[in-house]
Every structure is written in structure tokens, then in C-alpha cells.
Amino acid sequence: PDCELTLQDLGDPLVPAVAVGDFDFPDDCYCPNIPVPVPGGIKAYPLHGRNVYMTGPDMYLALKLGAKIKISRGFSCEILLKDGKPSQCLAYALTNLVQDRMCAKKFYKDTPIIEQSLKVMAASCYGKTSQNVCPKTRYSAKSMIHENSEPSSVTSSYYAAYTTALVRCMLIACINQLHNLGYSAYSVTTDGFITNAPTEVVRSLDAYGFAKIFQNGRYILNQTTEVCKANHVWEAKHYNTTFLN
């Protein structure tokens, strides 16, 4: 209890660990990364937090950003191995959906509903693992009232927490590195942001080690051996000379 965490304790950004504790970022930290729930169902990202739940990626990036973390309670998990390698038990199904979506884009250009349906199914891999992690209600067309939702057969608070934590850490790591290079990020969404940095600069960021995780993930999902595609985590969506945020 009350032990101060170090990078040596964690090892790498994918460390399978969760903990409760306190954190303190340096006052000059541009964008702290550990979320703290506040009234209204949203989360704030303060410089200091007490008795906060954190995942391994959260703690890893915080230490990289200069934070001090004191753990009061926590544990690390064992990675499930298959033939000596991480099982990645959900990767097979998700990869098939991604491949099918790529084919649908190519062969069913006049029928976008096919590609969009596959997109929803792929996103549902996260939706089903996070289903009812936080209690919610849903509308029943049969009873015509809102009923309490229930967990799915694959609901996992650990999977849900890690999915959001990894993406969140990737975004915040890039925002901090862009700031250090003299660039700005003006608006951030679930999986992207608006920046004045050139695409090649964004793609060159290592994001304190998180870029490599997403590069490997894209390689698995896209099933490509082309280095350029495997290394491109970010895709530029729009270019503008000015914008009103």
C-alpha cells in the first residue's frame, strides 16, 4: 500500500494492470492524461487526483509526462498465451469484419449500407465487451418502455477500460508531443483531432511508445505486409486553410 510507482514497475505501455491511487503532474504539464469523473457523467483531466482508478496505459503515460503516482491498491494480470504468443482471442473475428468491410467498399460502391453495416458490426466488438459495465437502460419495442440493460456474454470491464485507455493515451501522447514541437491541437474527438501540424509530422510521432501498439494493431486488422501501410496510424481526413472551432 502507498508505494510510489516507477516505469520499471510497469515495463511497457501495454502492461496489464489496474490500480487505485493518487497522482500529481508537474505544473508545466501541457495535457495531463488520467481521467477523473466529475458530476454530470463527464471526466476532467486535472494535474492532481486522489483515490483515482487507473489502468496500466494511464499510469505508464503519466509517468512519461513526469507525474508522480502513489498506489494504494492494485494488481497486475497474466496475459493468456496460445502457442507461446498472446491469444488475441477477439482479433480473429474483428479482422474478418475489417477485411469484409474493405471488400464491401471496393465491390459495393453503389450499396453503401453493406459497408456501413460491417462498420457497425466491427464497432460492436467494443460495444458488447463494454455492455452494461456502467448500468444503463434501453428501450424495449416489445414492452414500449425503458428497461434495465444487462451484460452481454462477453462483457468485460477490463477489456472496456483498456480499449478506451489505449486510444485516450494515444491521443493525449500525440497532443503533448505536438505541443513540444510547437504545434497545436484545437479539437479532439474519440479517435482524432484537428491540428496545424503537417501529416508527416503527426505520423512521425512515437507517442511515448503507443504508436507502435497501434501500428501492430493495424497490421493485424489490415493483414498487410506493406511497411508504409503498417506504419501509418493516422489518416488525414480534411485539409483547410482556416477553420472556426
Side-chain angles (χ1 to χ4, degrees):
D2 295 329
C3 65
E4 189 162 321
L5 198 67
T6 68
L7 284 170
Q8 287 69 32
D9 296 325
L10 297 175
D12 64 69
L14 265 179
V15 55
V18 292
V20 180
D22 305 336
F23 65 83
D24 294 283
F25 286 89
D27 291 340
D28 61 352
C29 179
Y30 178 66
C31 185
N33 71 289
I34 299 180
V36 176
V38 296
I42 62 175
K43 291 180 173 63
Y45 292 81
L47 290 171
H48 311 284
R50 299 293 178 263
N51 199 36
V52 178
Y53 285 88
M54 299 170 276
T55 67
D58 292 321
M59 294 182 281
Y60 183 91
L61 179 57
L63 292 174
K64 282 287 191 178
L65 295 176
K68 291 185 177 181
I69 299 176
K70 185 175 288 186
I71 299 301
S72 58
R73 179 166 55 93
F75 62 89
S76 59
C77 308
E78 291 290 333
I79 297 293
L80 178 64
L81 300 179
K82 184 178 181 180
D83 299 326
K85 298 180 180 179
S87 68
Q88 297 178 333
C89 58
L90 299 179
Y92 178 79
L94 186 54
T95 297
N96 276 276
L97 288 171
V98 171
Q99 293 296 307
D100 287 347
R101 184 187 174 195
M102 292 169 65
C103 289
K105 271 187 174 182
K106 182 177 181 180
F107 295 109
Y108 298 99
K109 296 179 181 179
D110 297 329
T111 316
I113 190 173
I114 298 177
E115 183 264 331
Q116 288 298 310
S117 297
L118 287 162
K119 178 181 178 180
V120 170
M121 284 188 277
S124 294
C125 290
Y126 164 70
K128 298 305 287 186
T129 58
S130 64
Q131 182 173 312
N132 214 47
V133 167
C134 296
K136 293 183 178 179
T137 60
R138 64 181 180 182
Y139 181 76
S140 170
K142 182 178 180 180
S143 61
M144 300 181 69
I145 60 173
H146 280 86
E147 301 175 342
N148 290 330
S149 184
E150 68 279 341
S152 75
S153 59
V154 293
T155 290
S156 167
S157 55
Y158 176 84
Y159 283 159
Y162 258 66
T163 300
T164 53
L166 285 167
V167 177
R168 181 176 63 242
C169 287
M170 177 65 172
L171 286 164
I172 295 178
C174 287
I175 290 170
N176 278 288
Q177 287 191 329
L178 287 173
H179 175 76
N180 293 340
L181 293 172
Y183 297 103
S184 298
Y186 303 102
S187 177
V188 183
T189 57
T190 304
D191 59 354
F193 53 91
I194 298 173
T195 180
N196 60 348
T199 302
E200 58 269 21
V201 172
V202 176
R203 285 178 170 171
S204 71
L205 302 174
D206 68 355
Y208 301 101
F210 285 91
K212 188 65 176 178
I213 295 171
F214 283 83
Q215 289 166 5
N216 291 336
R218 171 161 282 195
Y219 174 79
I220 293 170
L221 296 178
N222 287 351
Q223 294 291 291
T224 177
T225 56
E226 296 180 43
V227 175
C228 64
K229 288 185 178 180
N231 286 341
H232 283 179
V233 175
W234 295 108
E235 178 183 353
K237 290 289 186 181
H238 307 284
Y239 295 93
N240 296 83
T241 55
T242 58
F243 81 102
L244 176 63
N245 187 22

